[in-house]
Amino acid sequence: MKLREKRPKPILELRDHLSANRMTSGSTQPQSARWFVSGDLDGFFGLFFSGFPDLLLIAGLAPLCGLPLELVSSRILPAVAFSILIGNLFYAWQAHRLAERTGRTDVTAIPFGVNTPTIFAYVFLIMLPVYLRTHDSQLAWHLGVFACFLSGIVQTAGAFCTDWLRRHTPRAALLCPLAGIAIAFLCLGFVLRIFQSPELALLPTVIILAVYGSRIRLPYRIPGGLLCILAGVILVALLRALHIYHLPPPPPSLPLGIHLPRPVNVFEFLRQGEGWKYLSIILPMSALDTIVSLQILESVKVAGDDYPTWPSLLVNGLATLGAAAFGSPFPTTLYFGHMAHKAYGARVGYSILNGVATLLICITGLISPILHFVPLEVVAIVIVWFGLVMVAQAFQEIPKSHCIAVAFGLLPMLASWGLQLVDLALRKGGSSLLQAAPKFGEELAIYGLIALSQGALLVSMVWAAALAYILDRRFLSAAGWLLAGSVLSFFGLIHAYDLNSAGIVNKLGVFAAPEFAISYAAAALFLAGCHFYIRCFPSAAQNSESI
């Protein structure tokens, strides 16, 4: 999901503008709403260059999973573009309908596109481990499509029931898994790319930080993302002309052509038993995506556009199902930034323009030659920026007392990222975790690193929620979350694994991680005891000075 953009107008000023517009609209007869206005061009550039790095990201990360560029260009990207087009057209129609019904001229469509955090979650937590273990790129692709399809089912069902989970889960637990993915996979991995190639990536980095951080408006309203890409293109050409371009050559460009989306047999993927082992990643990511989409809709209503909840969420889920049906492993999502697009004058047409432009680029195979002129190092800072904003939101949008819970909840995803580094280093050195793990001794608690990383999204939620409730002295609620951790460990959804010559294998089954299941249950009993203790002795719950 894309993250909340800095708002170019103060909220109160924007609300006054909306109120005045409503009063003006209310005094006249409803008129036919316009599909395109001049502000839609500004909105289109802002939305398109917010989502364009995701397309480069998909094409750039695919080789890690063994996916050939031909598969990405002819199957995956057309499916991604199809899902984005369908969603953009719906939200444009929805905005046009609201404008006609209310007679308003300030209605803005909800921004929509591919889900950035989920790209990293499914690539680095599902597709890449499967490929490293089996060296089967087709299996890695199939499991990605499987994950996307299940995500679509959860998002579609969540359109009717997600609000209950949001109301009964601490915000720290909802934000921690996404922030953990952001800091580990979006920030750390791509920051290393930037500082490995400073001659190419440092200037684009400062451009994005300056434009996004200071919220300045560039001449002719040039989007910061477009200026970053143009600077990168110039730097690549200059470095190549001076013969000091050190990045590895990109894969050979594929010939341009028309690659229309083609359906896949998703049900065949469902029958493969391998995909079900990754439910501990797929289910929490899908639920979190739906909850964030619900929060986005609330921010849209604050901006003055009161769209119905369940159709907006339902279409997001159906678009994800459509993406999977045509071979995309990457779900779609609603984007933050609706208020910013509204302030810049975007209304309905910018959503249509974004969907059509994305479709044309993806079905013609243009991404392949673009990668020759815009390597991932150029747009890495765009990904890092969204990750930084996501981490910041995890601390900003919670009670101040819960910051410790957020910090603790980041650790499982950092462990997952660190484990991948260790595994990669060993494989490149001709060894494996199975061979090296007993040799680490006390210098690296490698088995703890593996256990913490297994089911890291769920582990993050469980511990962040439990600690948030502990900090509020709601011990019974905290005990309930640790009891959930016991059940998850019992069935192997968290902490359970087997280590063999192929690498780390998820271990599902009854009593899969007995030491964790028993320990979580004992901890839950202790917290339940704390609940009854402070009820019997209220003086024990009085505030005391921290040690």
Side-chain angles (χ1 to χ4, degrees):
M1 65 216 58
K2 286 296 180 189
L3 307 169
R4 184 170 301 147
E5 300 175 10
K6 298 294 185 180
R7 297 165 184 170
K9 286 188 178 183
I11 294 179
L12 292 178
E13 180 183 342
L14 184 57
R15 285 179 177 172
D16 292 342
H17 167 74
L18 296 176
S19 299
N21 196 302
R22 289 193 195 99
M23 293 174 62
T24 304
S25 300
S27 61
T28 60
Q29 293 295 324
Q31 56 184 343
S32 178
R34 298 173 62 184
W35 285 99
F36 292 94
V37 298
S38 59
D40 283 323
L41 192 58
D42 292 330
F44 158 68
F45 281 117
L47 179 57
F48 177 77
F49 285 105
S50 176
F52 182 67
D54 291 332
L55 304 180
L56 296 178
L57 191 64
I58 292 170
L61 294 180
L64 296 179
C65 306
L67 303 182
L69 191 57
E70 182 179 2
L71 174 66
V72 177
S73 297
S74 64
R75 302 299 303 273
I76 294 178
L77 285 176
V80 170
F82 171 76
S83 62
I84 292 175
L85 175 67
I86 295 302
N88 275 279
L89 291 179
F90 170 80
Y91 294 114
W93 170 82
Q94 185 185 50
H96 187 267
R97 185 183 181 192
L98 178 63
E100 285 204 322
R101 189 173 69 248
T102 59
R104 290 167 47 200
T105 59
D106 66 333
V107 176
T108 299
I110 304 172
F112 178 81
V114 71
N115 193 322
T116 307
T118 309
I119 294 175
F120 287 89
Y122 288 177
V123 166
F124 288 104
L125 301 180
I126 298 178
M127 299 170 68
L128 178 59
V130 168
Y131 177 70
L132 291 177
R133 182 166 49 85
T134 65
H135 301 288
D136 187 343
S137 60
Q138 284 292 309
L139 179 61
W141 174 45
H142 290 176
L143 292 190
V145 174
F146 171 88
C148 184
F149 186 74
L150 284 191
S151 180
I153 293 175
V154 173
Q155 290 178 358
T156 302
F160 306 96
C161 60
T162 301
D163 192 49
W164 180 90
L165 180 61
R166 181 180 63 87
R167 286 184 285 106
H168 290 83
T169 305
R171 179 162 286 189
L174 297 177
L175 295 176
C176 259
L178 299 176
I181 289 176
I183 194 171
F185 294 103
L186 276 72
C187 295
L188 288 173
F190 279 85
V191 163
L192 298 183
R193 283 177 176 256
I194 291 170
F195 284 89
Q196 182 170 273
S197 305
E199 71 281 4
L200 176 63
L202 202 59
L203 177 58
T205 293
V206 175
I207 289 173
I208 289 298
L209 294 178
V211 175
Y212 286 6
S214 67
R215 304 185 300 280
I216 62 174
R217 180 174 293 185
L218 297 175
Y220 307 106
R221 295 188 177 181
I222 298 175
L226 175 58
L227 182 60
C228 170
I229 291 173
L230 291 176
V233 170
I234 294 172
L235 284 171
V236 168
L238 182 62
L239 293 173
R240 285 176 175 166
L242 297 175
H243 304 288
I244 54 175
Y245 183 80
H246 301 303
L247 267 67
S253 292
L254 298 176
L256 298 180
I258 301 298
H259 306 286
L260 297 178
R262 289 180 286 162
V264 298
N265 188 353
V266 177
F267 298 103
E268 180 64 30
F269 300 168
L270 293 176
R271 285 199 291 266
Q272 294 177 351
E274 187 76 19
W276 299 101
K277 298 178 182 179
Y278 294 91
L279 289 181
S280 61
I281 298 167
I282 300 169
L283 294 182
M285 275 303 299
S286 305
L288 290 169
D289 289 343
T290 311
I291 291 170
V292 171
S293 294
L294 184 63
Q295 294 172 339
I296 291 171
L297 278 177
E298 291 177 355
S299 72
V300 168
K301 292 177 181 179
V302 169
D305 295 337
D306 192 5
Y307 295 114
T309 298
W310 73 264
S312 301
L313 295 180
L314 180 64
V315 169
N316 180 36
L318 293 177
T320 296
L321 286 173
F326 286 95
S328 169
F330 307 114
T332 56
T333 187
L334 308 184
Y335 281 5
F336 279 111
H338 171 272
M339 190 174 290
H341 291 303
K342 177 182 287 290
Y344 282 128
R347 296 297 177 251
V348 177
Y350 87 106
S351 184
I352 299 174
L353 291 174
N354 181 66
V356 172
T358 302
L359 181 71
L360 291 177
I361 286 178
C362 289
I363 68 172
T364 56
L366 274 174
I367 290 296
S368 174
I370 287 175
L371 276 176
H372 278 257
F373 302 100
V374 190
L376 276 182
E377 283 72 11
V378 171
V379 297
I381 186 57
V382 179
I383 307 300
V384 172
W385 174 263
F386 287 130
L388 292 173
V389 174
M390 184 178 291
V391 176
Q393 286 181 340
F395 288 96
Q396 292 171 347
E397 299 189 4
I398 59 168
K400 188 176 180 180
S401 61
H402 289 180
C403 286
I404 295 176
V406 170
F408 196 91
L410 298 178
L411 300 180
M413 292 310 305
L414 290 172
S416 181
W417 184 73
L419 180 63
Q420 286 195 7
L421 291 185
V422 173
D423 189 36
L424 176 62
L426 290 171
R427 288 177 184 274
K428 293 295 184 180
S431 183
S432 67
L433 270 175
L434 180 65
Q435 296 172 329
K439 302 176 184 178
F440 284 115
E442 296 298 322
E443 298 174 75
L444 175 61
I446 186 65
Y447 298 109
L449 189 67
I450 298 174
L452 184 58
S453 67
Q454 294 304 107
L457 290 170
L458 287 174
V459 175
S460 176
M461 288 188 70
V462 167
W463 280 98
L467 186 50
Y469 281 132
I470 288 173
L471 293 168
D472 292 339
R473 293 176 179 170
R474 297 174 60 183
F475 292 109
L476 210 55
S477 296
W481 276 94
L482 289 188
L483 190 60
S486 177
V487 174
L488 293 171
S489 302
F490 184 87
F491 291 106
L493 291 173
I494 60 175
H495 301 314
Y497 65 93
D498 281 324
L499 188 59
N500 57 36
S501 57
I504 302 168
V505 181
N506 293 338
K507 182 182 178 183
L508 297 177
V510 177
F511 228 39
E515 63 276 25
F516 282 101
I518 295 171
S519 298
Y520 272 117
L525 286 175
F526 171 77
L527 292 179
C530 291
H531 167 77
F532 292 108
Y533 172 69
I534 64 173
R535 291 194 64 181
C536 296
F537 302 98
S539 60
Q542 293 178 356
N543 290 329
S544 59
E545 186 177 350
S546 298
I547 298 176

